Structures are given as structure tokens and as C-alpha cells.
Amino acid sequence: MRVVQVLPALWSGGVERGTVDSAIELAKRGHEAIVVSNGGPLVTHLEDAGVRHIQRPVHRKSPRSFGQIAPMRRLLRELAPDIVHVRSRMPAWITRLARQTLPAPERPALISTFHGMHSVSGYSAIMAKSDHIIAVSDCVRRYVLDNYRVHPDDLTTIQRGVDPAVFYPSVPDERWRQQLEADYPALAGKRIILMPGRLSRWKGQHAFLEAMARVFQREPDCHGLLVGGADPGKQHYEQELRTHARALGVEDQIHFLGPREDMANLYRRATIVCHLSSRPEPFGRTVTEALACGTPVVAYRRGGAAESLKACFPQGLVPPDDVNAVVDRLHHMLRHPPSIAPLPAPFHLESQVDATIAVYGQILARRATGRGP
């Protein structure tokens, strides 16, 4: 198959990394994988794996983006893909409108993935107007069925998969550890409590700092790490967090590492990973990545992250927004380190790609027999 995936850009985040992982895995299996986006640092990952990237300005949430319909139409005619897989709303609008202007025999199958629970609106509804829809968790599936006119047979849940070639139980690479401690000497000999995720108010970094201030009182050999960068135009939030850490008196026991490319080693170096988002996340990739590396996770019982943790490590769940429960669970795990079972098969990248290819094949077979759109 020739599969084109379209998304806004390739900077960081679960949508972007999932797209890259899927494209690389499709290419490994002999399919032709192409990604269309406005570009970003993750493009090099695609190119290193031999996956073609085509840069187009499909990222702006603006009426001006509809000027990309004609260029997208030309691109679809040139590439003649079997499948076009859209992963975000504006790219979905551009792609669907471009596809509609093609002669019927030239129109590729259109697949969409709901990576999130967007505000319910006509703008968001475009994600439900495809030949088949993929939801990244059961809570996202419920959201789609509750809010859009979608037949259950046209909607498939496919959990986001972790690549076991990257995330697996091990000790951190020794040279990596030495370099980390050279860069951050305060980490030497410390137990690390890790909070991965972009710096955004709803991601729960304030709650993490509040919990750490209390954990450090009883566990002074612990250190907190915040990993992730701020969204464009929101760099002030990092300064707000630093100010809050200083007010709590923990600025010397907290480090901000920014965006990193060495997450597997950071998970392995961590004693515990936290996931404390203040609103439901559609999936929560950091949960399964950490567990795949053999590191326990403490997370609120909320959204897709809780769904993943319930299936893989239920003892890490705590009531939503209950910082007291977070602190108690951290203390317990620090004193009684839990064992982590291997990640269940549905959360492996191989299973994700198997299921996605099955959806592609099902839709293409329906079209070939004249039973599909």
C-alpha cells in the first residue's frame, strides 16, 4: 500500500511521535509511507528511516489554510495513494475538500484518527467524516459515539503502541548516566521522581511541585525532574513554575530539563514517573513508555491515561486532583518498590500497526467490491 499521513507539524507530542512510529513501521513492512506536515525536528527521524516527508503549510487554524486545498489536490493526484490518514482537524478539512474535487476513481480511502477529545463543534466534526475512524482509547471512542453521528462499526479503538526496541527494562546506559550527572551534579546518588510532558497548565506540573515539596520532607534523597518544553508563545509558564518551586522552598531539588530525545534512559533512571493532568487525556503515552522500561507510574484515575494504567499497573492509580493521595502513593512506592509486569500486547507498536493495517485492508476491500465509500 501507499499510505499518506497528514498532520500539522512534527515537533513533539503523542500525535507526532505516533505518526512517525507508524510511518517507520509501515516502511519496515514493505509499504510506501509518506508524511505531509509543516515540518519540525522529528522529520529527521523519518528521513533516517527512509520515509519521505513532504512539507506543506497545513498547520494554521485559519481560513487562509483553505488556500492549501488546490495544492493538496495536486499532491494527491501526483502521489495516487491508496490510503490518506488524517490526524488533526485542519489537515482533515484540507485533505477532505481536496479529495472531493478528484474524480471518484482517483479518490483514495480516507481514514481519520481521533487523538483527542476536541471541543464539540462543526470544525471538529470533520474528523468524523471519513471512510473509517480510529480512536486511541475507549474513552475517546465513547466521546465520538456520544457526540457525532457515527455508526459503531465505522469506529475502531486502537491503543497507541510502544516500540519494545526502544523502551524495555534495563539500567540506563552508563555513559549516558555519567553525562547526565555531569550536567546536573545534584542528581548523583538521588532517587528520581520524573514528570514528563510539555509544560502546559493542564498537564499538572503545579500539582507535581506541591507533591514534591511534601515528599522531600520525608524522603530527602529524592529529586524531581520536569521534562518537556513549553508550547510556542507560552514560555512564561516555565518561569511561573520556577517561581512556584522557589516559593515552596524546593528550587534546589527540582530541575527543568526541557525537551529531550533520551526519554528511554530517563524512564530507566527514574524511581517513579508521575502523570497528573488536570483534565482527561485521550491516551497518556508516558504511562506506557515508563512501564515498558520497568518503572512504576502514579497517575490520576482520569481519561485514557487511567485506562492504560488500569490495564497495565492499576496500583498506580489515585483519585483525580488528590495531591494527598499522590504523596501517600509515592511514599509507599519509595519504601516498597513494586514489580512491573511486561506491557500487555495491545500496547505494543507492532499490535498498533497490525490493527491499523487491518483497518486499511478492510476499507480497501470494501471499495474494491463496491460496498464501500
Side-chain angles (χ1 to χ4, degrees):
M1 291 182 291
R2 178 177 290 171
V3 180
V4 174
Q5 298 184 82
V6 191
L7 72 163
L10 287 168
W11 287 88
S12 64
V15 178
E16 294 86 343
R17 290 171 60 196
T19 301
V20 169
D21 288 347
S22 294
I24 292 173
E25 185 66 19
L26 283 167
K28 286 179 181 177
R29 299 183 184 205
H31 302 288
E32 185 177 357
I34 301 168
V35 176
V36 178
S37 83
N38 193 52
L42 294 181
V43 169
T44 57
H45 293 253
L46 292 173
E47 294 175 341
D48 289 347
V51 174
R52 182 181 177 188
H53 175 264
I54 299 172
Q55 186 161 352
R56 291 288 189 275
V58 294
H59 61 298
R60 297 187 186 94
K61 296 178 182 178
S62 163
R64 289 186 300 168
S65 291
F66 290 110
Q68 291 301 310
I69 294 170
M72 180 63 76
R73 181 181 187 272
R74 291 193 293 270
L75 183 61
L76 292 177
R77 295 202 78 169
E78 172 194 334
L79 296 175
D82 299 294
I83 299 284
V84 177
H85 192 155
V86 293
R87 296 180 175 274
S88 186
R89 290 171 290 178
M90 183 50 74
W93 275 105
I94 294 168
T95 302
R96 187 171 190 272
L97 293 173
R99 173 179 175 265
Q100 284 181 329
T101 64
L102 293 173
E106 296 181 26
R107 294 174 190 168
L110 183 63
I111 307 296
S112 62
T113 291
F114 271 86
H115 286 272
M117 293 170 279
H118 312 295
S119 58
V120 179
S121 65
Y123 176 61
S124 299
I126 191 64
M127 298 299 291
K129 296 178 180 179
S130 57
D131 297 339
H132 199 83
I133 303 164
I134 294 171
V136 299
S137 62
D138 285 333
C139 69
V140 173
R141 176 185 173 85
R142 290 192 296 272
Y143 156 84
V144 175
L145 292 175
D146 288 345
N147 292 287
Y148 298 102
R149 293 182 178 179
V150 173
H151 192 282
D153 291 346
D154 294 327
L155 176 60
T156 301
T157 299
I158 303 178
Q159 303 283 354
R160 301 299 86 189
V162 171
D163 186 351
V166 176
F167 300 97
Y168 55 89
S170 179
V171 295
D173 177 81
E174 181 59 22
R175 284 184 296 178
W176 174 90
R177 186 192 62 79
Q178 291 175 357
Q179 184 60 57
L180 181 72
E181 293 180 1
D183 294 339
Y184 303 95
L187 301 184
K190 295 295 179 65
R191 291 185 290 175
I192 301 299
I193 302 177
L194 180 67
M195 177 75 166
R198 71 181 185 274
L199 301 184
S200 183
R201 197 170 301 280
W202 67 274
K203 285 285 190 175
Q205 285 91 5
H206 266 93
F208 178 74
L209 293 177
E210 296 281 349
M212 290 303 95
R214 294 166 56 184
V215 167
F216 296 152
Q217 293 174 6
R218 291 169 54 185
E219 313 286 350
D221 66 329
C222 287
H223 204 96
L225 291 184
L226 288 157
V227 179
D231 290 337
K234 297 184 179 180
Q235 288 78 6
H236 63 278
Y237 183 58
E238 178 176 340
Q239 186 54 51
E240 180 182 321
L241 290 170
R242 290 180 180 274
T243 300
H244 191 50
R246 188 160 51 251
L248 291 169
V250 297
E251 67 271 27
D252 294 333
Q253 294 165 282
I254 297 286
H255 274 84
F256 293 76
L257 269 58
R260 304 279 297 205
E261 292 289 330
D262 53 354
M263 286 308 302
N265 273 318
L266 282 167
Y267 289 133
R268 295 180 188 118
R269 176 64 179 86
T271 303
I272 304 173
V273 170
C274 288
H275 185 288
L276 305 176
S277 295
S278 61
R279 66 187 193 210
E281 289 225 38
F283 182 72
R285 175 180 288 269
T286 59
V287 169
T288 50
E289 288 179 346
L291 293 172
C293 289
T295 302
V297 176
V298 173
Y300 289 147
R301 191 184 298 274
R302 168 185 282 142
E307 191 177 308
S308 300
L309 205 56
K310 182 179 179 180
C312 305
F313 183 67
Q315 57 266 52
L317 290 168
V318 297
D321 305 317
D322 189 339
V323 175
N324 291 332
V326 173
V327 172
D328 290 344
R329 194 62 50 88
L330 288 171
H331 282 312
H332 182 78
M333 289 186 183
L334 288 166
R335 300 293 176 89
H336 307 281
S339 59
I340 307 298
L343 205 63
F347 295 91
H348 288 199
L349 178 60
E350 182 178 8
S351 298
Q352 174 194 325
V353 176
D354 285 345
T356 303
I357 290 175
V359 168
Y360 294 166
Q362 172 191 346
I363 297 306
L364 292 177
R366 284 170 50 189
R367 289 164 63 90
T369 58
R371 293 184 291 108

